[in-house]
Amino acid sequence: MRQRRFINFSSVGVKLFVILFCTIVLLSSVLGLTSYYAAKGIITDEVAAASSQSIVQAADKLDFLFAEYEALSRQFAVDPALKADMETVNLPTAGTVARAAAEDRIRRKLDSVRGSDERLLGVRLVARSMVDAESYKSTGISGVRSDEGILARMKEIDNAKGNPVWFPVRAKGFFDAYSQSAMTMGRLLRNIQNPAAEYYMLIEVKGQALTDVLSNLHIGLGGEIRILDSSGRVTYSADDALLGQASYIHTGELKAGAQTGVQKKEGQKLPAAGKSEEPDLTGKRESEGQEPAGARQGEDGKRSFTAGDEQGSPQLVVYQPLSTADWTLMGYAPVSDFTRSADRLLYITLLVVLAAALIGLVIGYVLVRLIGRPLGKLARLMEEGERGNLQVRTSFKGQDEIGRLGYSFNRMMEQISRLAGQSSSSAAEVLATSEQLVAASGAISGQASEVATATGEIAGGAASLAAEAESSNAKVELMGGKTSEVAENNAVMAASAGKVMEVSGQGAERMKKLVAQSEGVLKLMDLIQENSAMLRDSTVLIRSILSPMIAMNKQTNILALNASIEAVRAGAAGRGFIVIANEIRGLAKQSSESIASVSRITGEISGHIENTVKVVNEAAPMFDSQLALVRESSLIFGSVRAEMEVFSGVLNQSSAAVSELAEYQQQLGQSMASVISVVQQTSASTEEVASMSSQQFTVSRELVALSHRLEELAEQLKQSMISFQG
């Protein structure tokens, strides 16, 4: 009785109790916590949506305010009267009266702009030289200063090249000379024709003006409103001590290459909502391309996310980039300000879990009573049956599954009792049959061993025959390869013989042409000899003709000399004859020189003709011997062609014999392939028979072993049936 008081954790009833209890408590807890966090998320989303609308409206107001001052600066930039006055005050030749009138008009224009807008702290036109005396300002503001920080900000205006530049709110204004905070818009008033008349226009807006614009914007109970620049620094805050400092909570929309406080060019817009980086949940800046968890963006462009502040408290953050400046309006408040009403769901969840635990205890106890106890009793009865007591029965009266289980248990025990009796008689029969099976299996095993041995010997002989057939086939294939090589060599030799015959024919034709040409050259040599003899006779004739002309020339020269002597004697009357005699003498001299030249040339021609005749006489025997050699070569080419024709016929007969040998080899190879195929099939069949015989022998051995095992099992079955009480 004492053992029943201990809890048995392996019991089905205890397991059902634990499962049901844990399921009820877990479902209740999950449902309550899910409802709590779902309500918290819905409240946060709704507040974020409402706050995003408010932040968008406030950003539109700021854009409108900034656009108003940008339009004012554009009016100054295109005002022709103001441009003329600025050129006048910078014109060295301008009179004192004209310059004073221009300066007065400039100051009155600045004062009128300052007086028409209470949000303005002042309006300035600062000279490029940064000299206060050359600059103009509205009444009541400090003069121009030029420290390093101010010069850096002026350089940003220069780099904008006439576009407006917005500078963050500073605690003491642009020149750090005021007692209140101010935000500044700078613009370079350019003058292409007169660069000396260019001025920096500075519109200084009170920090309180931004506070007034954002006064109706509230995020939660203790939320804050800030304006951040592209680097995450505070451009505007209700607390002036935070101006210029890096904001711990910031948006991730930092543009590559952006500069602090530099306004984008007119006409440029910030990236569309949804295309910029989202902020970091912890408030720390993320690397580009990372999107923090919890960040969400609606289809209408509203942006919100949750992030931790310096103390790690979760904050709901909403933000909206400005379209006129490279700034972002951001507001945030503790998430707990919006989710306090949802905390009551935690207390309700706790009460529901406690009630579910009590219900689970009651239901578990009922399950243990209805299921655990009957199953335990049935387990004990089955343990009795395991020990050999087949007379145990249950007493379950119910109509449920437990009652049906007890009824089935009773019938099962009755069936087991009858089966035990039948098994005892069957065991004796199995024992007798197994003895006969052992004897038959031994005989089969002996026969299978003999068959396997004979089949192995047949398989060895078939393998040897296959090896011999393979060797013969390899030799036939080798012979076929050699025959193919001989046929190929014959074909190559036949082709070479044909080419030699063709070349011999061509050589014979060429030699015939060479014989004909040599005979023609020999005839030309004979003609050259005849012509040389005729030229030699002509030169002799020319010399004989020149001899009288030389004698006549000498006589003419003597007559001209005598005529000159007679003319000298005649005096003045003979001067004409002196001229004629001189001319005749000059002509005679020229004739002598020409005849001498012809004689010399004729001698040279005669020498050349003699040399030509000598060379031709020497070459004529050589041409005769060359002609004889050419005729002998022509006869040799003819005999070579005849021999090659005989050789080609022999090659053709050899090729035909090799072709017949190749056909016989192919037929022999086919026969050997058929023999190999038959041998391989025989070997495969023999190996298959040997394998089957081996398997049969193995099966017979296993059959003997199984027979012995069956005999042992029959004996064991007979002994086990004795332990049951039927």
Side-chain angles (χ1 to χ4, degrees), residues 371-395:
I371 299 175
R373 287 185 177 180
L375 290 178
K377 185 177 180 181
L378 182 60
R380 290 192 297 272
L381 294 175
M382 293 184 72
E383 291 172 357
E384 289 289 331
E386 182 184 357
R387 289 191 288 268
N389 185 9
L390 300 180
Q391 301 298 322
V392 292
R393 299 292 185 271
T394 62
S395 59

mmCIF file of all heavy atoms in Angstrom, residues 371-395:
data_model
loop_
_atom_site.group_PDB
_atom_site.id
_atom_site.type_symbol
_atom_site.label_atom_id
_atom_site.label_comp_id
_atom_site.label_asym_id
_atom_site.label_seq_id
_atom_site.Cartn_x
_atom_site.Cartn_y
_atom_site.Cartn_z
ATOM 1 N N ILE A 371 -8.002 6.368 -16.627
ATOM 2 C CA ILE A 371 -7.121 5.685 -17.587
ATOM 3 C C ILE A 371 -5.927 5.043 -16.901
ATOM 4 O O ILE A 371 -5.584 3.883 -17.143
ATOM 5 C CB ILE A 371 -6.653 6.676 -18.674
ATOM 6 C CG1 ILE A 371 -7.860 7.221 -19.454
ATOM 7 C CG2 ILE A 371 -5.663 6.023 -19.626
ATOM 8 C CD1 ILE A 371 -7.512 8.288 -20.454
ATOM 9 N N GLY A 372 -5.272 5.760 -16.012
ATOM 10 C CA GLY A 372 -4.031 5.283 -15.422
ATOM 11 C C GLY A 372 -4.217 4.011 -14.599
ATOM 12 O O GLY A 372 -3.461 3.038 -14.757
ATOM 13 N N ARG A 373 -5.247 3.981 -13.696
ATOM 14 C CA ARG A 373 -5.430 2.816 -12.820
ATOM 15 C C ARG A 373 -5.801 1.547 -13.597
ATOM 16 O O ARG A 373 -5.213 0.484 -13.363
ATOM 17 C CB ARG A 373 -6.472 3.130 -11.769
ATOM 18 C CG ARG A 373 -5.957 4.110 -10.698
ATOM 19 C CD ARG A 373 -6.991 4.292 -9.597
ATOM 20 N NE ARG A 373 -6.469 5.181 -8.543
ATOM 21 C CZ ARG A 373 -7.171 5.516 -7.455
ATOM 22 N NH1 ARG A 373 -8.396 5.027 -7.280
ATOM 23 N NH2 ARG A 373 -6.642 6.314 -6.543
ATOM 24 N N PRO A 374 -6.791 1.579 -14.516
ATOM 25 C CA PRO A 374 -7.095 0.360 -15.278
ATOM 26 C C PRO A 374 -5.893 -0.157 -16.072
ATOM 27 O O PRO A 374 -5.648 -1.360 -16.137
ATOM 28 C CB PRO A 374 -8.242 0.789 -16.196
ATOM 29 C CG PRO A 374 -8.892 1.918 -15.488
ATOM 30 C CD PRO A 374 -7.791 2.644 -14.807
ATOM 31 N N LEU A 375 -5.120 0.741 -16.666
ATOM 32 C CA LEU A 375 -3.958 0.303 -17.436
ATOM 33 C C LEU A 375 -2.895 -0.320 -16.524
ATOM 34 O O LEU A 375 -2.230 -1.292 -16.901
ATOM 35 C CB LEU A 375 -3.350 1.482 -18.212
ATOM 36 C CG LEU A 375 -4.192 2.014 -19.387
ATOM 37 C CD1 LEU A 375 -3.494 3.207 -20.039
ATOM 38 C CD2 LEU A 375 -4.432 0.921 -20.413
ATOM 39 N N GLY A 376 -2.752 0.190 -15.304
ATOM 40 C CA GLY A 376 -1.800 -0.392 -14.363
ATOM 41 C C GLY A 376 -2.204 -1.811 -13.956
ATOM 42 O O GLY A 376 -1.355 -2.713 -13.861
ATOM 43 N N LYS A 377 -3.524 -1.995 -13.695
ATOM 44 C CA LYS A 377 -4.008 -3.330 -13.336
ATOM 45 C C LYS A 377 -3.793 -4.300 -14.483
ATOM 46 O O LYS A 377 -3.355 -5.447 -14.281
ATOM 47 C CB LYS A 377 -5.487 -3.251 -12.977
ATOM 48 C CG LYS A 377 -6.069 -4.570 -12.481
ATOM 49 C CD LYS A 377 -7.519 -4.396 -12.082
ATOM 50 C CE LYS A 377 -8.111 -5.727 -11.592
ATOM 51 N NZ LYS A 377 -9.539 -5.593 -11.205
ATOM 52 N N LEU A 378 -4.071 -3.868 -15.733
ATOM 53 C CA LEU A 378 -3.877 -4.721 -16.898
ATOM 54 C C LEU A 378 -2.400 -5.084 -17.064
ATOM 55 O O LEU A 378 -2.060 -6.209 -17.433
ATOM 56 C CB LEU A 378 -4.400 -4.015 -18.154
ATOM 57 C CG LEU A 378 -4.315 -4.794 -19.467
ATOM 58 C CD1 LEU A 378 -5.119 -6.079 -19.374
ATOM 59 C CD2 LEU A 378 -4.801 -3.932 -20.629
ATOM 60 N N ALA A 379 -1.506 -4.161 -16.776
ATOM 61 C CA ALA A 379 -0.075 -4.432 -16.878
ATOM 62 C C ALA A 379 0.347 -5.518 -15.889
ATOM 63 O O ALA A 379 1.159 -6.404 -16.222
ATOM 64 C CB ALA A 379 0.720 -3.147 -16.644
ATOM 65 N N ARG A 380 -0.201 -5.472 -14.654
ATOM 66 C CA ARG A 380 0.155 -6.492 -13.665
ATOM 67 C C ARG A 380 -0.343 -7.884 -14.091
ATOM 68 O O ARG A 380 0.342 -8.892 -13.908
ATOM 69 C CB ARG A 380 -0.419 -6.114 -12.299
ATOM 70 C CG ARG A 380 0.281 -4.897 -11.676
ATOM 71 C CD ARG A 380 -0.126 -4.739 -10.214
ATOM 72 N NE ARG A 380 -1.547 -4.470 -10.084
ATOM 73 C CZ ARG A 380 -2.081 -3.238 -10.127
ATOM 74 N NH1 ARG A 380 -1.302 -2.182 -10.332
ATOM 75 N NH2 ARG A 380 -3.384 -3.078 -9.967
ATOM 76 N N LEU A 381 -1.563 -7.959 -14.674
ATOM 77 C CA LEU A 381 -2.075 -9.241 -15.142
ATOM 78 C C LEU A 381 -1.216 -9.801 -16.276
ATOM 79 O O LEU A 381 -0.956 -11.012 -16.339
ATOM 80 C CB LEU A 381 -3.520 -9.092 -15.611
ATOM 81 C CG LEU A 381 -4.548 -8.752 -14.509
ATOM 82 C CD1 LEU A 381 -5.918 -8.523 -15.125
ATOM 83 C CD2 LEU A 381 -4.617 -9.868 -13.464
ATOM 84 N N MET A 382 -0.744 -8.942 -17.145
ATOM 85 C CA MET A 382 0.091 -9.402 -18.250
ATOM 86 C C MET A 382 1.450 -9.892 -17.739
ATOM 87 O O MET A 382 2.043 -10.818 -18.304
ATOM 88 C CB MET A 382 0.288 -8.270 -19.274
ATOM 89 C CG MET A 382 -1.012 -7.889 -19.994
ATOM 90 S SD MET A 382 -0.778 -6.648 -21.267
ATOM 91 C CE MET A 382 0.051 -7.629 -22.490
ATOM 92 N N GLU A 383 1.938 -9.282 -16.673
ATOM 93 C CA GLU A 383 3.175 -9.775 -16.069
ATOM 94 C C GLU A 383 2.990 -11.190 -15.497
ATOM 95 O O GLU A 383 3.896 -12.029 -15.582
ATOM 96 C CB GLU A 383 3.641 -8.811 -14.983
ATOM 97 C CG GLU A 383 4.135 -7.460 -15.543
ATOM 98 C CD GLU A 383 4.396 -6.458 -14.440
ATOM 99 O OE1 GLU A 383 4.133 -6.793 -13.252
ATOM 100 O OE2 GLU A 383 4.858 -5.333 -14.753
ATOM 101 N N GLU A 384 1.804 -11.465 -14.906
ATOM 102 C CA GLU A 384 1.507 -12.819 -14.432
ATOM 103 C C GLU A 384 1.499 -13.802 -15.598
ATOM 104 O O GLU A 384 2.023 -14.915 -15.509
ATOM 105 C CB GLU A 384 0.151 -12.839 -13.712
ATOM 106 C CG GLU A 384 0.152 -12.143 -12.360
ATOM 107 C CD GLU A 384 0.923 -12.928 -11.323
ATOM 108 O OE1 GLU A 384 0.987 -14.174 -11.436
ATOM 109 O OE2 GLU A 384 1.491 -12.296 -10.403
ATOM 110 N N GLY A 385 0.876 -13.419 -16.714
ATOM 111 C CA GLY A 385 0.859 -14.280 -17.891
ATOM 112 C C GLY A 385 2.253 -14.518 -18.442
ATOM 113 O O GLY A 385 2.564 -15.587 -18.966
ATOM 114 N N GLU A 386 3.125 -13.508 -18.334
ATOM 115 C CA GLU A 386 4.501 -13.667 -18.792
ATOM 116 C C GLU A 386 5.227 -14.753 -17.994
ATOM 117 O O GLU A 386 6.079 -15.467 -18.538
ATOM 118 C CB GLU A 386 5.237 -12.326 -18.649
ATOM 119 C CG GLU A 386 6.677 -12.368 -19.138
ATOM 120 C CD GLU A 386 7.384 -11.050 -18.894
ATOM 121 O OE1 GLU A 386 6.729 -10.110 -18.395
ATOM 122 O OE2 GLU A 386 8.581 -10.964 -19.201
ATOM 123 N N ARG A 387 4.873 -14.878 -16.716
ATOM 124 C CA ARG A 387 5.521 -15.893 -15.868
ATOM 125 C C ARG A 387 4.936 -17.292 -16.086
ATOM 126 O O ARG A 387 5.335 -18.237 -15.429
ATOM 127 C CB ARG A 387 5.402 -15.476 -14.403
ATOM 128 C CG ARG A 387 6.296 -14.272 -14.051
ATOM 129 C CD ARG A 387 6.351 -14.066 -12.547
ATOM 130 N NE ARG A 387 5.100 -13.555 -12.046
ATOM 131 C CZ ARG A 387 4.812 -12.255 -11.908
ATOM 132 N NH1 ARG A 387 5.709 -11.350 -12.279
ATOM 133 N NH2 ARG A 387 3.649 -11.880 -11.415
ATOM 134 N N GLY A 388 3.952 -17.470 -16.980
ATOM 135 C CA GLY A 388 3.427 -18.790 -17.325
ATOM 136 C C GLY A 388 2.027 -19.062 -16.825
ATOM 137 O O GLY A 388 1.461 -20.112 -17.128
ATOM 138 N N ASN A 389 1.454 -18.123 -16.085
ATOM 139 C CA ASN A 389 0.092 -18.310 -15.570
ATOM 140 C C ASN A 389 -0.896 -17.851 -16.627
ATOM 141 O O ASN A 389 -1.139 -16.646 -16.781
ATOM 142 C CB ASN A 389 -0.087 -17.535 -14.271
ATOM 143 C CG ASN A 389 -1.448 -17.808 -13.632
ATOM 144 O OD1 ASN A 389 -2.189 -18.701 -14.057
ATOM 145 N ND2 ASN A 389 -1.775 -17.058 -12.593
ATOM 146 N N LEU A 390 -1.488 -18.816 -17.366
ATOM 147 C CA LEU A 390 -2.442 -18.470 -18.423
ATOM 148 C C LEU A 390 -3.875 -18.445 -17.917
ATOM 149 O O LEU A 390 -4.803 -18.294 -18.728
ATOM 150 C CB LEU A 390 -2.323 -19.490 -19.569
ATOM 151 C CG LEU A 390 -0.947 -19.588 -20.236
ATOM 152 C CD1 LEU A 390 -0.983 -20.621 -21.348
ATOM 153 C CD2 LEU A 390 -0.507 -18.245 -20.771
ATOM 154 N N GLN A 391 -4.108 -18.484 -16.593
ATOM 155 C CA GLN A 391 -5.455 -18.491 -16.037
ATOM 156 C C GLN A 391 -5.903 -17.108 -15.572
ATOM 157 O O GLN A 391 -7.031 -16.959 -15.081
ATOM 158 C CB GLN A 391 -5.520 -19.476 -14.846
ATOM 159 C CG GLN A 391 -5.163 -20.913 -15.209
ATOM 160 C CD GLN A 391 -6.120 -21.495 -16.233
ATOM 161 O OE1 GLN A 391 -7.335 -21.224 -16.189
ATOM 162 N NE2 GLN A 391 -5.590 -22.299 -17.143
ATOM 163 N N VAL A 392 -5.032 -16.059 -15.722
ATOM 164 C CA VAL A 392 -5.401 -14.713 -15.248
ATOM 165 C C VAL A 392 -6.445 -14.118 -16.178
ATOM 166 O O VAL A 392 -6.412 -14.327 -17.394
ATOM 167 C CB VAL A 392 -4.155 -13.808 -15.181
ATOM 168 C CG1 VAL A 392 -3.196 -14.286 -14.085
ATOM 169 C CG2 VAL A 392 -3.439 -13.756 -16.523
ATOM 170 N N ARG A 393 -7.420 -13.304 -15.565
ATOM 171 C CA ARG A 393 -8.487 -12.651 -16.329
ATOM 172 C C ARG A 393 -8.765 -11.281 -15.709
ATOM 173 O O ARG A 393 -8.572 -11.065 -14.503
ATOM 174 C CB ARG A 393 -9.769 -13.499 -16.323
ATOM 175 C CG ARG A 393 -9.617 -14.882 -16.961
ATOM 176 C CD ARG A 393 -9.403 -14.780 -18.449
ATOM 177 N NE ARG A 393 -9.387 -16.107 -19.048
ATOM 178 C CZ ARG A 393 -8.310 -16.861 -19.203
ATOM 179 N NH1 ARG A 393 -7.145 -16.428 -18.742
ATOM 180 N NH2 ARG A 393 -8.393 -18.045 -19.778
ATOM 181 N N THR A 394 -9.281 -10.360 -16.534
ATOM 182 C CA THR A 394 -9.646 -9.013 -16.049
ATOM 183 C C THR A 394 -11.106 -9.007 -15.639
ATOM 184 O O THR A 394 -11.888 -9.906 -15.996
ATOM 185 C CB THR A 394 -9.423 -7.981 -17.163
ATOM 186 O OG1 THR A 394 -10.271 -8.289 -18.271
ATOM 187 C CG2 THR A 394 -7.968 -7.986 -17.623
ATOM 188 N N SER A 395 -11.444 -7.904 -14.908
ATOM 189 C CA SER A 395 -12.835 -7.752 -14.441
ATOM 190 C C SER A 395 -13.408 -6.400 -14.852
ATOM 191 O O SER A 395 -14.222 -5.827 -14.138
ATOM 192 C CB SER A 395 -12.883 -7.908 -12.905
ATOM 193 O OG SER A 395 -12.043 -6.924 -12.291
#
